[in-house]
Amino acid sequence: GPTVSSAELKKVRLREIEHIQQQIAVLARYAGIDLRSDGRTAEGYQTGAQQLQTSVDNITAEFGDDLIAGVQPRFDARKIRRFDSCWNWARQDAYEWIQQTIAVCTTGVASDVDVSDEARLQQLQNRADVQLVQMLAGTAKILGASNNDALQPAIQLTQALHDACKDSLDQEPVYREFSKPMQPETHVQSTGEVKYTEKPRPSERSWAEYIQHMSCGDLDNTPPLMHLREQTESGQWTYSDMYSGAYFSGLNSIATQGISFAGKTALVTGCGRGSIGAEIVSSLLAGGAKVLATTSSYSRATTLFFENLYRTHGSRGSELVVVPFNQGSVQDIENLVSHVYGKSGSELNWNLDYVFPFAAVSDIGSTLTNLGSRSELAQRVILTNVLRLLGRIKAAKESAGRSTRPALV
């Protein structure tokens, strides 16, 4: 039978498609439809994407991966955690103290009333409220009705706690340092290994004694090693007995009587576990301050750490607010300060009294000849953005009409 060439069939089919396309083009022109609009849009997107990629490549080459990754914002108001229930921990701590004493009493082991634990007693007094005093009074009454002589230490302890907490109701919470002054000790082994330790100072058993010794000169009429100076009319800086005396008097007052931060608010950045910032947060909370603590490593473990920090050191009127924050990010600085001074229901509406910008990025091993992206990030976090943060706080204070109450940095 007859045969048909496949090549000829293909040509016929192509001519049909071409004819159809021509018909579509004619109809589209008649209807006012631009068949190339989508194609031109796609080409524009492709050109824009290429330009953006070129910009990203140039930025990455100029600033490096460390700086780019280190300035990414982390602030998120939805992740803020607030801790302010010190009254709850006060009841638990009081019960634990009393129960520990009862356990000792019932085992037959002799024990004195343990009110000598000044740190524990001060912590309880800092948290005391009317309900805690009532609870202690009721507990003392219940224990006294037992007619069990073995419980006398526990009864005395409960009554002593009641009296101490009752007396503290009209007093502001205070921070006092109860640790012992330490001195460094370094040993160099025969192998060359260096061992560093700290041990209590033998002649200074309290901070009051340490401060007293620090305020004395080595010889007669010799100013102490640490002292304050004042500028004379001639421009010379000379030892000031008045200013130095006031300084050491203030230190002694803090060591013996404590210092209160009641009614104060503070911002502390860079306060992770084991840091100086975390110790500052602890002291501020013990003194009754409201503290906003930032963390760049927000996680459940981090929030539990801050929860325990507040549980241990929180006092009456204190509050701890924890928020994710990257001090390397300008966006985070803007959002953080806006949240502090904002007046909406979810914002803090605080006026900062203290700012502790301790956030930092390590830059180990960098020298003049190999400064890189990490070095720029470190300088941005500890210098440039600290100035930005302070400037933003200043502007917020002025905007809120609070320029007469500056923040101490």
Side-chain angles (χ1 to χ4, degrees):
T3 59
V4 179
S5 171
S6 59
E8 292 298 325
L9 285 176
K10 187 175 181 180
K11 291 180 181 179
V12 172
R13 181 57 181 163
L14 290 175
R15 285 195 296 269
E16 290 179 349
I17 294 174
E18 183 180 357
H19 181 66
I20 293 172
Q21 290 176 340
Q22 292 173 352
Q23 289 181 322
I24 292 175
V26 171
L27 292 174
R29 284 196 299 271
Y30 178 78
I33 300 175
D34 185 1
L35 297 178
R36 285 283 299 154
S37 62
D38 292 341
R40 281 191 291 270
T41 301
E43 291 173 357
Y45 287 150
Q46 185 176 8
T47 302
Q50 292 173 348
Q51 293 173 346
L52 287 175
Q53 185 61 52
T54 300
S55 297
V56 170
D57 292 342
N58 290 336
I59 292 173
T60 302
E62 182 67 29
F63 297 107
D65 293 333
D66 286 335
L67 180 57
I68 293 174
V71 301
Q72 299 304 311
R74 298 181 184 177
F75 181 87
D76 188 345
R78 296 170 300 178
K79 295 182 179 180
I80 289 177
R81 296 293 180 269
R82 305 180 75 152
F83 306 101
D84 58 3
S85 58
C86 69
W87 58 269
N88 179 45
W89 305 120
R91 288 155 176 69
Q92 182 170 324
D93 291 344
Y95 263 129
E96 286 181 355
W97 199 347
I98 295 170
Q99 289 297 327
Q100 289 167 1
T101 307
I102 292 175
V104 173
C105 296
T106 55
T107 58
V109 180
S111 175
D112 296 328
V113 178
D114 186 15
V115 195
S116 60
D117 190 340
E118 288 186 276
R120 193 173 187 180
L121 180 59
Q122 182 67 64
Q123 182 187 64
L124 195 61
Q125 287 179 297
N126 281 343
R127 304 176 177 194
D129 58 10
V130 174
Q131 288 73 26
L132 175 62
V133 172
Q134 293 174 346
M135 185 199 80
L136 290 170
T139 303
K141 184 176 181 180
I142 293 172
L143 291 174
S146 64
N147 295 321
N148 186 347
D149 293 338
L151 294 179
Q152 280 305 310
I155 296 173
Q156 296 175 32
L157 171 64
T158 305
Q159 189 61 51
L161 295 180
H162 170 271
D163 295 343
C165 290
K166 185 177 180 180
D167 291 341
S168 70
L169 291 181
D170 297 329
Q171 302 172 6
E172 294 179 338
V174 295
Y175 161 71
R176 286 182 62 195
E177 183 56 55
F178 292 97
S179 64
K180 301 297 182 183
M182 307 291 282
Q183 68 181 28
E185 189 172 79
T186 304
H187 294 277
V188 181
Q189 309 295 325
S190 58
T191 59
E193 181 183 1
V194 178
K195 288 188 176 181
Y196 172 82
T197 57
E198 293 182 357
K199 65 178 184 180
R201 294 176 176 267
S203 60
E204 298 162 341
R205 293 173 296 177
S206 68
W207 286 105
E209 292 179 357
Y210 177 79
I211 294 169
Q212 174 61 31
H213 292 169
M214 188 169 58
S215 64
C216 299
D218 294 334
L219 302 172
D220 293 339
N221 299 323
T222 301
L225 183 62
M226 180 179 293
H227 59 266
L228 299 181
R229 298 189 177 195
E230 60 181 334
Q231 192 174 28
T232 63
E233 294 181 357
S234 63
Q236 298 295 319
W237 289 92
T238 61
Y239 167 69
S240 172
D241 183 67
M242 180 181 67
Y243 292 152
S244 298
Y247 171 71
F248 287 113
S249 175
L251 288 182
N252 184 70
S253 175
I254 293 173
T256 56
Q257 303 175 27
I259 181 173
S260 178
F261 301 109
K264 303 296 185 180
T265 58
L267 167 64
V268 185
T269 69
C271 45
R273 188 186 305 273
S275 67
I276 296 175
E279 292 299 318
I280 290 176
V281 171
S282 302
S283 304
L284 290 169
L285 290 174
K290 294 183 178 181
V291 182
L292 174 59
T294 71
T295 174
S296 59
S297 56
Y298 188 89
S299 65
R300 174 168 172 76
T302 301
T303 56
L304 289 176
F305 163 72
F306 283 107
E307 178 182 341
N308 186 63
L309 195 71
Y310 184 82
R311 175 179 180 178
T312 305
H313 302 282
S315 59
R316 187 171 57 252
S318 68
E319 181 179 1
L320 177 60
V321 181
V322 182
V323 59
F325 171 75
N326 176 17
Q327 195 164 297
S329 168
V330 175
Q331 296 179 66
D332 273 13
I333 291 175
E334 292 289 336
N335 291 329
L336 178 70
V337 177
S338 296
H339 186 78
V340 171
Y341 285 89
K343 297 182 179 180
S344 70
S346 60
E347 294 173 319
L348 298 179
N349 191 21
W350 288 3
N351 187 17
L352 294 176
D353 297 290
Y354 308 108
V355 179
F356 299 89
F358 280 119
V361 173
S362 62
D363 183 29
I364 301 173
S366 293
T367 64
L368 185 63
T369 59
N370 67 348
L371 294 177
S373 179
R374 184 78 176 180
S375 302
E376 286 198 65
L377 175 61
Q379 292 299 314
R380 180 184 177 93
V381 171
I382 67 176
L383 180 59
T384 307
N385 276 12
V386 169
L387 298 178
R388 284 194 175 113
L389 176 62
L390 299 181
R392 185 65 185 87
I393 292 173
K394 176 180 181 295
K397 282 179 173 286
E398 291 175 343
S399 177
R402 299 169 176 175
S403 55
T404 59
R405 185 177 166 184
L408 182 63
V409 182

